[in-house]
């Protein structure tokens, strides 16, 4: 039986009554497998005691006697302080929200104490400690678990230990035996015991290494299998040209001739890679990464032209370009109209807001192949939309889309009438995915990166300003407006939301204040997600034409909006925005020839976290560096798009910290898949289960 198949409820464990089971379920522990996978957050090495007097050097681990109870504060804030001593010193345990410890830690009682201490108010203090009665069974290295109220380390240790005794030895191996031997890993049952109750610190290390290996191995099997299956999806019957590098398609050549500028080196490279894919024997699945303003839209248009021309001996097909918001989709549609209609392309625009009559006609034209290229929101893939011959799908700002869409899109390609098989897929993202993560999670995609920006852009100057200095920021923006420029002001809220957030500025009130008090000479408008599409569109159009000079907004302007004359981005309460949002917002300016500025205005009560983020913004402009910093600050689970991917259910492994191991594991997993999947037996049952989720164009990361 594999660990995950151990579905016995925890209540089957002796000593886990209904009350304990309820407490456990609050930690997400329902089955015995859940319990065994509730890994310790730390380990307490009792074989090496650290007396209280050594608190500066290390975590204290000692035996103490309770010598006094004291209470501080009043009412709900009333807090218990327990004074204890060992042979070296006295210390105080501050028991926030744990008044019940008064009974447990009776005067004179001898206890094992463990935790980090600080010197505060003339005392050695700790508020995060573990304490339990001295008992014979708790010796050696003990696990310290994440707890919830009402559960104690002692109870959890006892339950885990019993679960290990009952089921531990019948847990089946998950890794191929030759890998265990080659890598010096532990057999699964020993690894499981070793992570909870290691005999030595060395054993603990080995157990960790084993479990991390297992988690990453299956992640990479999944990724590798998906990449392979993609290569197995041959296109339709038409043989593809193999041979020299495909040159530009005729339409691509004509577009480039008409452009007033030439492609950047990064754009040129990306187009070459895309052309190679689109002329190749397998459907493209490519992620195009490029910082904000690097000109990804143009690259996607060139890809669309390859589809319409019929690259690589395939007949001409259709291209669909999908954007996450209507605002952005419309902007793309307008650009496409400007650049591509003169080439004779038949374009259309499809969003959820399209009126019934127009929609019906459009759908008919699409299904009959009278449209070459369609731009829109996710409405492009609604049930009733059919394509005559969908050849290319571009997903802009792919991290903005949820999990399901990728497979939906692919299904659409298959069902299109003149289908040549799976359409080519180009995903674009300005939230750079750090290399380490790209390898793990987007490992089944090919990646193109545009590293350069179009020439002539001046680096944006970023300034931090305290809220009390907002006047100086407004003055500065005033001068830019007087020089003919435009400005964005961004707020964390749409409107004032009652007293709790009274000291937070909101877009609505600030739009009024900017218009009436601060910049009465300039037209101001407000956009946010609750303004209806038609109005939003009108406002954006006026802003683009310069009729509106100041846009007060929420982070709806975050993605994609491109107005070259805007030179100021003011983000108020900037500490409330995440790094990737701030980077995107800043990327809204610096798109024209003029010097641009970004002001990050922060409130007075700034958390450490907020401070760090603002500092990153001040010091870095490269989106890739910012993404790496973001990853360091937040951990991989939080990176845009990954949290919903569902596959990153890593318990111990951390693809960033374990990057080196990951690279090796990846090779190992891929080699097995390629050479001989049978090597995985007798673990095939598990592999099959993992692979079941891995359809060739599954949902990983999108
Ligand atoms: P993003 O990569 O953020 O989506 P966009 O595609 O919106 O960037 O491009 C930003 C701006 O740069 C657009 O106004 C576009 O016309 C312009 N642009 C794109 N490629 C070039 C180039 N090679 N030279 C000059 N300007 C370019
Ligand atoms: Mg863009």
């Amino acid at each position: 039986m594999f660990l995950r198949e151990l579905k016995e409820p925890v209540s089957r464990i002796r000593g886990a009554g209904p009350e304990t089971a309820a407490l456990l379920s609050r930690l997400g522990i329902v089955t015995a497998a859940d319990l065994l996978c509730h890994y310790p957050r730390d380990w307490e090495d009792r074989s090496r005691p650290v007396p209280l007097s050594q608190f500066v050097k290390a975590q204290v681990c000692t035996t103490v006697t309770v010598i006094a109870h004291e209470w501080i504060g009043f009412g709900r804030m009333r807090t218990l302080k327990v004074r204890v001593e060992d042979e070296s010193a006295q210390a105080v345990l501050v028991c926030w929200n744990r008044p019940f410890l008064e009974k447990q830690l009776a005067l004179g009682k001898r206890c094992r104490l463990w935790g980090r201490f600080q010197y505060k108010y003339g005392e050695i203090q700790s508020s995060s400690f573990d304490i339990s009665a001295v008992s014979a069974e708790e010796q050696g290295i003990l696990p310290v678990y994440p707890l919830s109220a009402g559960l104690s380390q002692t109870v959890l240790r006892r339950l885990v230990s019993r679960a290990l005794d009952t089921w531990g030895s019948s847990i089946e191996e998950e890794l191929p035996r030759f890998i265990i031997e080659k890598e010096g890993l532990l057999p699964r049952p020993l690894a499981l015991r070793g992570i909870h109750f290691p005999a030595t610190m060395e054993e603990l290390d080995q157990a960790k290494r084993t479990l991390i290996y297992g988690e990453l191995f299956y992640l990479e099997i999944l990724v590798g299998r998906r990449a392979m299956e993609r290569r197995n999806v041959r296109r339709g019957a038409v043989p593809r040209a193999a041979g020299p590098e495909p040159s530009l398609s005729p339409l691509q050549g004509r577009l480039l001739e008409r452009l007033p500028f030439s492609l950047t080196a990064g754009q040129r490279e990306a187009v070459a890679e895309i052309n190679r894919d689109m002329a190749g024997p397998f459907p493209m699945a490519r992620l195009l990464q490029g910082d904000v303003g690097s000109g990804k839209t143009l690259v996607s248009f060139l890809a669309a032209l390859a589809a319409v021309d019929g690259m690589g001996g395939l007949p001409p097909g259709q291209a669909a370009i999908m954007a996450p918001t209507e605002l952005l989709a419309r902007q793309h549609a307008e650009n496409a109209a400007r650049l591509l209609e003169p080439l004779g392309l038949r374009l259309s625009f499809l969003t959820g807001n399209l009126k019934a009559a127009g929609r019906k006609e459009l759908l008919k034209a699409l299904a009959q192949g009278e449209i070459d290229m369609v731009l829109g929101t996710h409405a492009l893939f609604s049930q009733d939309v059919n394509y005559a011959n969908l050849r290319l799908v571009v997903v802009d700002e792919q991290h903005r889309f949820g999990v399901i869409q990728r497979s939906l899109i692919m299904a659409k390609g298959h069902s299109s009438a003149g289908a040549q098989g799976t359409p080519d897929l180009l995903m674009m993202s300005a939230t750079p995915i750090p290399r380490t993560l790209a390898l793990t999670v987007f490992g089944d995609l090919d990646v193109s990166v545009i590293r350069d920006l179009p020439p002539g852009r001046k680096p944006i100057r970023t300034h931090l300003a305290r809220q009390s200095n907002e006047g100086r920021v407004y003055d500065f923006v005033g001068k830019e407006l007087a020089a003919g420029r435009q400005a964005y002001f961004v707020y964390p809220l749409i409107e004032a939301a009652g007293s709790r957030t009274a000291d937070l500025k909101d877009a609505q009130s600030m739009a009024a204040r900017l218009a009436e008090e601060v910049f009465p000479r300039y037209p101001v408008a407000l956009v946010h997600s609750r303004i209806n599409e038609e109005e939003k569109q009108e406002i954006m159009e006026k802003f683009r034409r310069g009729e509106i000079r100041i846009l007060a907004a929420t982070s709806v302007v975050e993605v994609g909006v491109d107005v070259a004359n805007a030179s100021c981005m003011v983000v108020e309460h900037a500490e409330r925005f995440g790094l990737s949002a701030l980077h995107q917002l800043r990327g809204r300016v610096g798109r024209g020839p003029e010097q641009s500025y970004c002001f990050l205005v922060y409130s007075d009560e700034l958390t450490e976290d907020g401070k760090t983020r603002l500092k990153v913004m001040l010091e870095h402009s490269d989106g890739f560096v910012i993404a790496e910093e973001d990853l360091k600050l937040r951990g991989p689970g939080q990176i845009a798009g990954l949290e919903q991917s569902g596959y990153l259910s890593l318990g111990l492994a951390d693809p960033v910290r374990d990057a080196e191991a990951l690279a090796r594991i990846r090779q190992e997993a891929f080699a097995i898949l390629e050479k001989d999947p049978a090597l995985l037996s007798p673990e095939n049952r598990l592999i099959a289960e993992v692979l079941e989720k891995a359809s060739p164009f599954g949902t990983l990361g999108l």
Side-chain angles (χ1 to χ4, degrees):
M1 164 178 61
F2 293 125
L3 181 55
R4 72 187 66 186
E5 294 169 332
L6 181 52
K7 296 266 161 61
E8 304 275 348
V10 276
S11 54
R12 288 283 310 279
I13 303 169
R14 188 164 51 85
E19 217 170 293
T20 310
L23 290 172
L24 287 172
S25 76
R26 274 201 245 155
L27 288 169
I29 302 173
V30 178
T31 65
D34 298 336
L35 182 67
L36 291 175
C37 290
H38 188 65
Y39 298 128
R41 61 172 166 81
D42 212 336
W43 291 264
E44 173 189 339
D45 189 356
R46 288 201 179 161
S47 53
R48 268 175 237 161
V50 178
L52 281 169
S53 60
Q54 303 284 306
F55 74 97
V56 179
K57 285 189 217 135
Q59 297 222 63
V60 164
C61 177
T62 186
T63 306
V64 294
T65 310
V66 177
I67 54 176
H69 292 159
E70 292 156 26
W71 291 88
I72 51 171
F74 298 97
R76 288 181 53 213
M77 297 300 291
R78 206 165 110 90
T79 298
L80 173 67
K81 281 170 68 176
V82 176
R83 195 170 288 277
V84 296
E85 69 176 1
D86 69 1
E87 64 289 345
S88 73
Q90 273 195 17
V92 167
L93 310 175
V94 183
C95 310
W96 301 115
N97 300 318
R98 293 198 269 178
F100 51 85
L101 284 180
E102 186 181 24
K103 274 217 188 86
Q104 281 178 26
L105 305 178
L107 293 181
K109 190 159 177 177
R110 298 268 293 158
C111 299
R112 292 292 315 188
L113 172 65
W114 187 80
R116 278 184 210 290
F117 283 73
Q118 277 184 318
Y119 196 72
K120 247 189 183 169
Y121 311 114
E123 303 171 326
I124 303 174
Q125 274 204 1
S126 176
S127 54
S128 66
F129 54 86
D130 286 299
I131 191 161
S132 55
V134 177
S135 73
E137 69 187 64
E138 302 205 325
Q139 295 301 331
I141 302 170
L142 289 179
V144 180
Y145 294 104
L147 291 179
S148 69
L151 275 174
S152 70
Q153 296 294 350
T154 317
V155 167
L156 216 50
R157 283 170 192 157
R158 194 178 303 140
L159 294 178
V160 172
S161 168
R162 283 181 188 155
L164 281 170
D165 290 344
T166 314
W167 295 290
S169 53
S170 55
I171 298 297
E172 231 175 293
E173 200 56 70
E174 294 191 6
L175 285 169
R177 222 156 301 278
F178 77 94
I179 285 189
I180 295 183
E181 279 161 26
K182 192 165 82 178
E183 296 280 334
L185 304 176
L186 290 172
R188 188 73 199 210
L190 293 189
L192 214 48
R193 183 166 288 277
I195 199 81
H196 290 287
F197 299 104
T200 61
M201 286 318 239
E202 290 69 41
E203 190 192 336
L204 173 61
D205 274 351
Q206 217 183 357
K208 271 191 204 163
R209 233 166 24 86
T210 303
L211 296 175
I212 287 173
Y213 199 106
E215 289 176 9
L216 294 177
F217 182 78
Y218 282 99
L219 183 65
E220 289 307 312
I221 287 278
L222 185 75
V223 165
R225 180 57 179 249
R226 184 163 294 162
M228 286 173 66
E229 294 204 347
R230 176 153 63 82
R231 283 186 200 115
N232 289 335
V233 187
R234 293 248 158 203
R235 298 184 199 262
V238 185
R240 318 302 303 290
E245 182 100 328
S247 49
L248 294 175
S249 82
L251 280 169
Q252 285 178 334
R254 282 174 55 206
L255 173 60
L256 291 186
E257 267 165 37
R258 291 176 40 93
L259 285 179
F261 47 73
S262 50
L263 295 183
T264 63
Q267 286 173 317
R268 220 173 306 127
E269 178 65 20
V271 171
E273 286 168 340
I274 289 166
N275 279 356
R276 208 176 304 145
D277 284 357
M278 291 185 71
F282 312 115
M284 170 167 78
R286 186 168 283 280
L287 178 67
L288 175 60
Q289 294 198 41
D291 214 340
V292 275
S294 60
K296 295 184 292 295
T297 315
L298 184 56
V299 172
S300 72
F301 287 177
L302 287 159
L305 292 178
V308 174
D309 258 336
M311 213 32 157
L314 285 177
Q318 296 168 303
I321 297 187
M322 176 166 80
T325 64
E326 184 148 351
L327 205 74
L328 198 51
R330 185 167 298 277
Q331 183 177 288
H332 285 340
E334 283 162 10
N335 280 328
R338 189 165 50 81
L339 293 169
L340 306 180
E341 253 164 13
L343 304 177
L345 245 66
R346 298 163 300 175
L347 306 178
S348 71
F349 178 62
L350 175 60
T351 71
N353 281 331
L354 202 62
K355 303 276 173 325
R359 180 183 170 87
K360 209 167 153 204
E361 219 160 284
L362 194 159
L363 294 189
K364 200 167 141 218
L366 260 183
Q368 296 184 341
E370 287 156 14
I371 287 169
D372 302 311
M373 178 174 170
V374 60
L375 302 100
T377 58
H378 56 268
L380 290 176
F381 298 96
S382 333
Q383 194 120 71
D384 58 342
V385 181
N386 293 305
Y387 293 86
N389 180 8
L390 184 61
R391 193 40 229 288
L392 169 74
V393 177
V394 177
V395 182
D396 192 15
E397 308 290 350
Q398 60 75 26
H399 62 281
R400 283 296 186 114
F401 289 94
V403 175
I404 354 136
Q405 276 107 346
R406 186 163 153 198
S407 46
L408 247 177
I409 292 166
M410 290 304 145
K412 203 55 101 182
H414 281 297
S415 66
S416 71
Q420 297 296 320
T422 307
D424 290 311
L425 176 63
L426 178 67
M427 296 192 273
M428 307 201 287
S429 176
T431 299
I433 295 137
R435 212 187 62 83
T436 33
L437 269 186
L439 203 67
T440 348
V441 181
F442 295 92
D444 62 329
L445 301 180
D446 298 308
V447 180
S448 295
V449 182
I450 305 181
R451 296 210 174 272
D452 41 6
L453 294 179
R457 299 263 176 87
K458 295 201 175 84
I460 301 160
R461 294 208 183 124
T462 301
H463 298 279
L464 303 188
R466 226 174 235 293
Q467 193 174 315
S468 45
N469 285 337
E470 62 178 24
R472 287 169 54 193
V473 174
Y474 298 167
D475 284 349
F476 190 98
V477 175
K479 287 195 194 117
E480 284 289 298
L481 291 166
R485 308 278 100 73
Q486 290 164 274
Y488 298 97
F489 283 79
V490 175
Y491 300 91
L493 297 176
I494 295 181
E495 59 187 336
S499 58
R500 201 167 48 83
T501 48
D503 44 358
L504 265 190
K505 293 181 182 172
D506 61 277
Q508 201 166 43
S509 341
M510 281 306 291
R513 194 179 137 206
L514 292 172
E516 286 154 24
E517 291 171 33
V518 190
F519 304 113
R521 292 176 35 220
Y522 300 105
V524 177
L526 169 70
V527 291
H528 53 68
S529 57
R530 276 197 252 132
I531 287 181
N532 78 45
E533 271 311 321
E534 235 162 278
E535 203 177 328
K536 210 189 292 178
Q537 196 180 305
E538 206 171 296
I539 293 170
M540 286 315 295
E541 191 42 44
K542 284 190 179 156
F543 188 64
R544 205 181 338 256
R545 286 203 303 259
E547 289 162 25
I548 288 170
R549 301 289 297 283
I550 298 163
L551 203 58
T554 55
S555 54
V556 287
V557 294
E558 178 190 321
V559 283
V561 178
D562 186 37
V563 178
N565 189 47
S567 68
C568 294
M569 167 58 71
V570 182
V571 185
E572 303 215 46
H573 300 293
E575 75 281 357
R576 297 194 154 241
F577 292 81
L579 268 179
S580 86
L582 288 174
H583 180 63
Q584 287 283 336
L585 286 170
R586 183 166 60 185
R588 293 313 110 215
V589 296
R591 295 178 159 252
E594 308 297 334
Q595 178 63 54
S596 288
Y597 305 87
C598 173
F599 296 95
L600 304 176
V601 182
Y602 57 89
S603 331
D604 292 329
E605 56 300 341
L606 190 57
T607 59
E608 273 310 306
D609 214 43
K611 204 185 281 174
T612 315
R613 269 180 281 136
L614 295 184
K615 228 173 120 229
V616 170
M617 289 303 292
L618 192 60
E619 289 168 0
H620 300 285
S621 60
D622 182 329
F624 284 90
V625 177
I626 291 175
E628 292 280 359
E629 293 294 326
D630 202 22
L631 189 62
K632 273 189 225 152
L633 286 174
R634 300 200 296 166
Q638 307 282 311
I639 294 296
L642 296 193
E643 59 274 0
Q644 337 98 314
S645 76
Y647 289 103
L648 215 67
S649 53
L650 302 175
L652 286 170
D654 170 347
V656 178
R657 182 197 60 205
D658 304 327
E660 221 171 284
L662 175 61
R664 258 186 316 117
I665 293 169
R666 175 184 179 79
Q667 271 185 354
E668 199 72 63
F670 279 33
I672 290 178
L673 282 175
E674 252 155 55
K675 273 194 290 219
D676 187 9
L679 278 178
L680 292 171
S681 63
E683 294 79 19
N684 271 341
R685 199 152 38 94
L686 186 72
I687 300 279
E689 189 189 315
V690 173
L691 293 184
E692 207 165 279
K693 303 183 205 161
S695 69
F697 288 97
T699 56
L700 193 64
L702 184 79

